[in-house]
Amino acid sequence: MKTRLAVGAFLFCLTRSAVAAEAEATSLALPNHLSSFNRIRVAVVQNGDEVTLSANGAYRVESLPDRSLLDRGLRLGEMKVRPSFQGIRFGAKDFRFPKISILSDSGSIRVNNKIYSSGVQIFRKSRGRLLVVNEVEAETYLKGVLPSEMPPRWPKEALKAQAVASRTFALFKALSKKNEDYMVAGDVIGQVYGGHGAEHSATDRLIDETRGEILTYQGQIFPAYFHSTCAGQTTHAEYNWDIQPHPALQGVNCFFCLRSKYQRWGKEVQINDLERRLKNAGYQVGAISRISPGKWDASGRAREIEVRHSKGTLTLRGNDFRLAVGPHVVRSLKDLRVARSGSSMKFAGRGWGHGVGMCQWGAKALAEQGKTYREILEFYYPGATITRIR
Ligand SMILES: [Zn+2]
């Protein structure tokens, strides 16, 4: 197993320097045993100023990574955690450590009104922002993801396809980000993770039925992206992120999501609100006069967005613009139109999401037509097969 991993890493370095300096690998060798990546670190709060925390039973606070005991008690009533000058402020106490772990004997902790099992870790990051991470067993994590990513009343085969795609995506991240503070983001950027409170018995059963099943391409795991509605065609992964092209993530024609309620969307946003959002995301912009989508891909998505403003012109990758402005504002880049209307901009387009990998509304329609989860996955990830890891 070690040799396989080492060869994979070597090839990865070669292709990485040959293709593009910053392009991340999209193919990783599989460990032989599930236990080598069965815990997932999920970022449940990012860039937080303040976090509200509580636990029902006895709790313990430890410093990281040395695990020295900082505090303990029989019950943790609702309290605030804030970054402090030297570390982390925990209610009235100030711990001079940038990383702490909070463990509850009852096995669950409430963070900003969501319940998480197995405790949380809190990091004081740069600019005094808090990162809260929940480390959880992979299958438990999936039970918190599935009902948040797809309604539990949807057809069983669509839900099973989602379970396998979500497991593949999570385990790919667990392998590629194993040395980082967290592996996946618990929101739409990663996978929507509702925590322990979101689990649902119907979807829990489907996670168990597909236990250990992941997608592979020529024996290697890849990031099995998915999204809500493609509106006719999915697209290439490498157009959205700095990653290497992958044969299973090159786009397919999907005529199955026509009944999605997200086929068409429109949104009007105040220009000063757009300026604020772009600045918050780290882009230098003055007063915006015009926003032009361009460099259309074969699926009809804008690969670039040009923002003309009082200090110059900013050209952004389409997906970076969408995420900076907000994926609920610019739902998709497909057939994106932008028009100025007084002090606001009107956005309109088709579909919802980045458009890579499985289209969830398409998967729903295919399941209603009698397709199995295997057929659905083979359609959206051409050339991929289902492998069971133990
Ligand atoms: Zn579709």
Side-chain angles (χ1 to χ4, degrees), residues 227 229-234 254-257 359 361-362 380:
H227 61 282
T229 303
C230 77
Q233 209 172 340
T234 65
C254 164
F255 308 109
F256 311 106
C257 54
C359 161
W361 278 82
Y380 287 110

Side-chain angles (χ1 to χ4, degrees), residues 142-163:
L142 290 170
K143 287 175 181 174
V145 164
L146 187 53
S148 307
E149 278 291 352
M150 195 178 261
R153 62 173 192 283
W154 275 24
K156 196 175 149 183
E157 295 301 311
L159 286 159
K160 283 169 81 172
Q162 180 67 52

Side-chain angles (χ1 to χ4, degrees), residues 11 32 35 44 54 76 84 87 92 100 114 136-137 175 187 194 197 228 238 266 286 298 308 321 334 339 350 378 386:
L11 286 175
N32 287 339
S35 65
V44 295
S54 65
L76 185 62
S84 70
I100 59 171
K114 277 191 184 173
V136 62
E137 198 261 328
L175 281 178
D187 58 14
S228 164
E238 73 275 17
R308 218 174 291 170
F321 175 81
K334 184 151 167 62
R350 296 179 63 209
E378 281 161 10
I386 296 177

Side-chain angles (χ1 to χ4, degrees), residues 33 83 119 159 161 165 173 188 205 229 234 278 326 380:
H33 202 275
L159 286 159
K173 293 288 174 185
V188 287
R205 256 199 316 279
T229 303
T234 65
L278 285 166
Y380 287 110

Side-chain angles (χ1 to χ4, degrees), residues 63-377:
S63 64
L64 289 174
D66 57 313
R67 296 216 168 262
S68 54
L69 183 70
L70 300 176
D71 192 22
R72 68 197 305 175
L74 291 174
R75 187 179 165 273
L76 185 62
E78 196 172 287
M79 48 92 75
K80 306 277 184 205
V81 178
R82 295 188 183 95
S84 70
F85 183 61
Q86 285 175 309
I88 296 169
R89 194 157 186 86
F90 188 79
K93 293 172 181 159
D94 197 356
F95 300 131
R96 293 183 176 187
F97 293 92
K99 298 179 188 179
I100 59 171
S101 161
I102 299 124
L103 300 149
S104 160
D105 281 355
S106 68
S108 66
I109 287 185
R110 185 180 285 268
V111 182
N112 292 349
N113 286 323
K114 277 191 184 173
I115 300 168
Y116 299 101
S117 55
S118 324
V120 293
Q121 299 174 344
I122 301 182
F123 300 78
R124 183 188 185 282
K125 305 295 285 184
S126 60
R127 295 186 294 138
R129 294 300 179 125
L130 293 178
L131 165 70
V132 183
V133 174
N134 177 218
E135 187 175 285
V136 62
E137 198 261 328
E139 298 292 310
T140 307
Y141 163 70
L142 290 170
K143 287 175 181 174
V145 164
L146 187 53
S148 307
E149 278 291 352
M150 195 178 261
R153 62 173 192 283
W154 275 24
K156 196 175 149 183
E157 295 301 311
L159 286 159
K160 283 169 81 172
Q162 180 67 52
V164 175
S166 286
R167 182 180 293 109
T168 309
F169 186 82
L171 296 188
F172 180 87
K173 293 288 174 185
L175 281 178
S176 61
K177 313 262 180 207
K178 62 178 174 235
N179 298 320
E180 296 182 22
D181 291 342
Y182 69 91
M183 296 157 169
V184 285
D187 58 14
V188 287
I189 310 300
Q191 304 199 59
V192 181
Y193 175 51
H196 189 49
E199 292 172 17
H200 192 283
S201 60
T203 48
D204 287 2
R205 256 199 316 279
L206 302 177
I207 297 287
D208 293 339
E209 272 179 39
T210 59
R211 187 173 179 86
E213 288 184 0
I214 58 160
L215 288 160
T216 56
Y217 185 90
Q218 293 178 350
Q220 298 209 316
I221 189 168
F222 63 95
Y225 289 100
F226 52 87
H227 61 282
S228 164
T229 303
C230 77
Q233 209 172 340
T234 65
T235 189
H236 293 238
E238 73 275 17
Y239 294 171
N240 283 279
W241 304 280
D242 291 321
I243 59 175
Q244 289 172 4
H246 190 282
L249 302 169
Q250 298 294 296
V252 297
N253 291 321
C254 164
F255 308 109
F256 311 106
C257 54
L258 287 170
R259 290 229 198 113
S260 165
K261 52 183 168 185
Y262 308 116
Q263 266 296 323
R264 291 185 182 280
W265 59 271
K267 188 95 179 168
E268 189 168 346
V269 192
Q270 287 294 310
I271 291 174
N272 54 21
D273 190 23
L274 285 174
E275 290 161 358
R276 184 183 55 79
R277 285 165 184 261
L278 285 166
K279 281 178 194 157
N280 281 347
Y283 299 107
Q284 303 294 321
V285 285
I288 295 175
S289 53
R290 199 186 148 111
I291 295 176
S292 323
K295 211 176 165 189
W296 301 92
D297 73 12
S299 79
R301 289 178 175 83
R303 287 184 65 182
E304 276 183 10
I305 307 283
E306 197 183 271
V307 180
R308 218 174 291 170
H309 57 95
S310 54
K311 294 177 189 163
T313 302
L314 173 71
T315 304
L316 287 175
R317 177 161 47 195
N319 195 46
D320 292 343
F321 175 81
R322 194 174 78 85
L323 297 181
V325 170
H328 291 267
V329 175
V330 177
R331 286 191 170 182
S332 113
L333 299 164
K334 184 151 167 62
D335 303 337
L336 182 67
R337 282 169 289 127
V338 193
R340 186 171 182 154
S341 166
S343 63
S344 63
M345 286 282 178
K346 283 182 172 169
F347 293 91
R350 296 179 63 209
W352 195 355
H354 48 60
V356 179
M358 188 176 78
C359 161
Q360 292 169 317
W361 278 82
K364 175 179 186 272
L366 285 167
E368 284 162 355
Q369 287 173 21
K371 295 280 189 285
T372 66
Y373 75 106
R374 287 175 180 271
E375 289 169 321
I376 294 169
L377 291 167

